[in-house]
Amino acid sequence: MAELLMPKFGLTMTEGQIVQWHRKSGERFAKGEVLFVVETEKVANEVEAEADGELLEILAGEGDVLGVGLPIARVAYEDDAGGPVPVSARNRSSDALPSNAPISDAPSARKLMRDHGLSPADVVGSGRGGRIMKGDVLRVIATPLARRVARQNGVDLHEVTGSGPNGRIKVADVEQALVALPKDLPPAAVPVPFLQPDIKKPDASRLATARRVQAAKREIPHFYLTRMVNVLPLGRLRDDLNGDGAGRVKISVTHMLVKALGLALAEMPAMNRIWTEEGILSFSTADIGMVAETVQGLRIPVFRDVGRLPLDDVARMGADLAARARDGKLAATDVGGGVISVSNVGMFGATSLTPIISPPQAMILGVGAEQQMFRPDEAGQARLSREICLTLAADHRIIDGADAARFLQLVSRNLEEPLRLLRSAAAVNA
């Protein structure tokens, strides 16, 4: 017998989410068949069987998030000593119980006892739902929503029959009790009508995003810098490049932002690094992520080695990555790596965006919509300006405020003097 462990995809991966099992406990598999799918860094990875064998027990279900190297299943390969363990020779479910087993032997009851410091003798069941005794107090086992609805409508949960595991009372049980109330109650005793909330379980993609951003805000000490940038010259250059009729891929503001970030990283290589548990990891190429909205949720495909690429190549790469992101065809090589991403919400008319860093990166640039305004020139005369708000979020574990300000200043200069985007990176500043 062997254990299947959470695989490691990429240098900086620390955890993955099981999004799908292709085999069930007790089923056999052949070498090369897909056993399960792991999502990490917002891309799905299919994991194939190393040899013929049998899936003995699934330890991590769909939606579970585990660290790299932790066991997710037990398997028996044909080349293991003694061969595969027969399905009939083992208990298919460690949680299975005979129908006459006491309630205190059920998995949910065992967890309940652990949570409340109870002994098996403290846990009892009845026809009206699960109860726990602690001292002289009889407590009802009910979901939080069921308790709230019962409280709003004056329902005594001790008089409600629970239909959940081990008699746990659910909101449907409270609703049934309301229907069964006597019809001749005086007006003061009539329950208050309530609206049933529409609760849906989030899909695997939304769960993965929720865990990722929650961990990022909790574990990464964010700080923010904001700067208004005049993009009037940038817009003119983009119009000139897109209007030459040469049949090239159209260049967008996002493409120019990515190029500006790539040049800035090439000119400030000390910013091209991230914080890891093993130490500070530096990169030799300027890889820039682009936050993309897809039907599967947000994805962050990465432009590779942008610092040395011509702007036309950046635009072609961006168009290809965006198309594959929309179609759900991003490969593992399309995501991961890099120290910074750009999130542009300008097309929605939002003035600015204060973004959350996508781990393990160290920075993210939020971009707002263009705003037309007048600014005084050197002579104090009003001059038309088209500006965008850039908000840089940085990881304070590895980046100081002054360095982040210099980096944002350099990015802004690349945008305000857009001919810099058509040239190679300037002399390197360590």
Side-chain angles (χ1 to χ4, degrees):
M1 185 175 69
E3 288 186 334
L4 282 179
L5 306 180
M6 174 61 71
K8 186 177 181 68
F9 298 101
L11 185 62
T12 59
M13 174 182 169
T14 59
E15 65 179 18
Q17 181 182 39
I18 305 294
V19 296
Q20 184 180 10
W21 279 101
H22 284 240
R23 289 290 182 271
K24 299 178 180 178
S25 295
E27 290 186 346
R28 296 189 58 78
F29 54 80
K31 180 179 180 180
E33 290 183 344
V34 176
L35 287 181
F36 59 96
V37 179
V38 174
E39 183 176 90
T40 177
E41 304 235 6
K42 303 192 177 182
V43 67
N45 303 274
E46 294 183 340
V47 180
E48 299 178 351
E50 299 178 355
D52 294 350
E54 181 181 356
L55 184 60
L56 300 180
E57 182 181 5
I58 293 176
L59 304 178
E62 294 179 357
D64 289 348
V65 177
L66 287 87
V68 169
L70 293 180
I72 61 175
R74 293 189 179 96
V75 298
Y77 294 117
E78 287 192 350
D79 54 357
D80 284 351
V85 177
V87 179
S88 58
R90 67 178 189 281
N91 184 0
R92 291 178 181 268
S93 173
S94 60
D95 290 334
L97 292 170
S99 59
N100 61 348
I103 189 172
S104 59
D105 287 341
S108 58
R110 292 199 298 268
K111 182 179 185 302
L112 189 65
M113 288 187 287
R114 290 196 302 270
D115 293 344
H116 293 273
L118 305 174
S119 67
D122 293 324
V123 182
V124 297
S126 75
R128 289 194 176 276
R131 311 286 189 267
I132 60 174
M133 287 291 299
K134 187 146 189 179
D136 296 330
V137 179
L138 179 65
R139 296 184 57 189
V140 177
I141 306 173
T143 66
L145 180 58
R147 291 183 182 277
R148 178 162 62 86
V149 172
R151 185 170 58 251
Q152 291 173 345
N153 292 272
V155 176
D156 184 359
L157 288 178
H158 290 85
E159 300 300 322
V160 177
T161 300
S163 62
N166 303 310
R168 187 179 182 90
I169 297 173
K170 302 187 295 184
V171 68
D173 303 323
V174 178
E175 293 173 346
Q176 185 64 34
L178 285 171
V179 173
L181 284 175
K183 304 302 181 183
D184 56 349
L185 290 175
V190 175
V192 178
F194 66 94
L195 297 177
Q196 171 63 39
D198 183 16
I199 299 179
K200 296 180 180 178
K201 183 178 180 180
D203 58 27
S205 177
R206 176 50 55 186
L207 280 173
T209 300
R211 291 190 178 102
R212 188 173 292 113
V213 296
Q214 185 178 28
K217 286 295 286 185
R218 182 178 61 246
E219 299 171 6
I220 299 177
H222 288 59
F223 72 94
Y224 300 92
L225 297 172
T226 299
R227 185 182 179 113
M228 299 300 296
V229 177
N230 181 16
V231 293
L232 189 59
L234 185 78
R236 291 169 179 164
L237 176 62
R238 182 192 59 184
D239 293 342
D240 289 343
L241 293 174
N242 289 336
D244 66 358
R248 296 184 174 90
V249 175
K250 296 294 185 181
I251 296 172
S252 70
V253 171
T254 298
H255 299 150
M256 301 177 99
L257 284 164
V258 168
K259 179 61 179 179
L261 288 170
L263 287 176
L265 282 180
E267 295 179 23
M268 292 185 66
M271 299 289 289
N272 200 9
R273 55 187 185 174
I274 63 174
W275 182 273
T276 72
E277 295 303 321
E278 292 76 23
I280 297 173
L281 177 62
S282 299
F283 294 93
S284 59
T285 60
D287 299 340
I288 312 297
M290 174 184 64
V291 179
E293 183 183 29
T294 73
V295 293
Q296 296 85 20
L298 295 180
R299 296 291 184 267
I300 308 183
V302 177
F303 295 73
R304 303 295 180 185
D305 203 8
V306 178
R308 67 171 186 82
L309 289 181
L311 188 55
D312 281 337
D313 289 350
V314 173
R316 278 193 293 270
M317 185 183 296
D320 178 60
L321 288 172
R324 284 191 281 130
R326 287 192 302 269
D327 296 338
K329 297 181 179 179
L330 288 174
T333 54
D334 295 326
V335 299
V339 303
I340 188 170
S341 293
V342 56
S343 183
N344 189 353
V345 295
M347 67 286 295
F348 303 110
T351 303
S352 64
L353 169 68
T354 303
I356 299 175
I357 297 170
S358 178
Q361 294 186 344
M363 295 181 288
I364 185 169
L365 185 70
V367 183
E370 290 188 13
Q371 305 170 64
Q372 184 170 289
M373 59 188 66
F374 287 92
R375 299 283 191 185
D377 60 16
E378 294 79 0
Q381 300 298 314
R383 180 182 61 182
L384 179 64
S385 176
R386 294 189 66 86
E387 300 182 357
I388 57 175
C389 179
L390 301 183
T391 303
L392 180 68
D395 184 348
H396 218 330
R397 293 175 299 181
I398 196 169
I399 299 172
D400 294 329
D403 288 333
R406 293 187 189 97
F407 181 77
L408 185 57
Q409 183 181 48
L410 183 53
V411 173
S412 301
R413 183 184 175 192
N414 290 338
L415 297 173
E416 292 181 330
E417 302 173 18
L419 289 180
R420 293 171 59 87
L421 303 180
L422 305 182
R423 307 176 71 177
S424 57
V428 169
N429 297 317

